[in-house]
Amino acid sequence: DFLFLFVGNDLIKKGLPVIIKALSILKNNRIHIAIAGTGKRSKINIPNAQENNIHFLGVIKDMSNLYQNVDALIHPTLVDTYGMTVLEAMTASLPVIVSNKKYCGFTEHLNDDQALILDNPRDSIELSKKLHLVFSDVNLREKIAKNGFKKSQSITWEDTLEQTLLVYNIVLK
């Protein structure tokens, strides 16, 4: 089986409903979603056919251990100023499916060789196609994981601070 990781505290804003719709489209019992965060299962409608493939983990204290035990990250967020979980997953050499930069600020740093980028994170058909690609195409999965890892290594706190200060200075002028 193949295990995607979804991380979020607000399950709706982070995109869980579209993931569930995409899974319904795929109808692939070998694809599972592990959900980490404080979001409440009661707020999400999960069809009976998918009950066994969706796993609510709750809050995870050691995310690095979790990243090592999944196959890919899915982050179809509708609102995320940065998306630290995407960077963390890439640092763990995971292939990533993520919303475009309009919805997830971190995607501004990425290209199509480093992640599968969603044009519309509300589109369950588009998402189902990307899920299927990551699940079925080992070469693509490995390429994206490798290139994503390289990208993650080029992002440092020092550079982020420098770029943030530059933006503040521009705004203040």
Side-chain angles (χ1 to χ4, degrees):
D1 287 350
F2 195 90
L3 184 58
F4 283 95
L5 175 62
F6 170 85
V7 179
N9 293 322
D10 185 328
L11 302 179
I12 294 169
K13 284 183 183 177
K14 296 300 180 180
L16 186 57
V18 75
I19 294 172
I20 292 170
K21 287 178 187 171
L23 288 176
S24 293
I25 292 167
L26 286 176
K27 296 180 181 161
N28 184 336
N29 288 332
R30 292 190 54 217
I31 295 177
H32 293 257
I33 305 291
I35 301 163
T38 61
K40 295 189 179 184
R41 180 184 184 128
S42 60
K43 291 188 175 191
I44 303 296
N45 180 27
I46 301 172
N48 290 338
Q50 294 177 342
E51 279 288 323
N52 294 330
N53 293 67
I54 299 174
H55 313 279
F56 285 82
L57 307 176
V59 175
I60 303 296
K61 293 186 188 223
D62 183 6
M63 286 299 293
S64 61
N65 187 45
L66 182 57
Y67 289 127
Q68 298 304 317
N69 288 291
V70 299
D71 299 301
L73 177 83
I74 178 157
H75 195 67
T77 184
L78 299 175
V79 179
D80 212 331
T81 53
Y82 190 75
M84 185 62 79
T85 190
V86 177
L87 177 58
E88 291 172 350
M90 292 169 71
T91 300
S93 296
L94 289 177
V96 171
I97 299 172
V98 63
S99 300
N100 68 57
K101 66 183 178 181
K102 178 180 175 186
Y103 302 94
C104 182
F106 181 73
T107 309
E108 180 178 308
H109 302 286
L110 303 177
N111 63 44
D112 292 331
D113 288 332
Q114 298 161 333
L116 290 179
I117 300 171
L118 297 166
D119 290 326
N120 180 359
R122 291 181 175 97
D123 184 345
S124 56
I125 294 171
E126 178 190 9
L127 181 56
S128 70
K129 290 176 182 177
K130 303 258 191 219
L131 289 169
H132 179 73
L133 264 176
V134 172
F135 169 76
S136 63
D137 190 334
V138 175
N139 292 330
L140 175 69
R141 191 166 62 230
E142 289 174 353
K143 178 182 95 169
I144 288 175
K146 178 182 168 190
N147 291 337
F149 175 77
K150 283 181 187 174
K151 181 64 178 180
S152 75
Q153 299 306 291
S154 72
I155 298 171
T156 67
W157 284 113
E158 291 80 17
D159 288 342
T160 302
L161 175 61
E162 185 177 307
Q163 290 174 15
T164 302
L165 290 174
L166 178 64
V167 170
Y168 281 138
N169 286 327
I170 290 169
V171 170
L172 290 172
K173 286 180 182 178

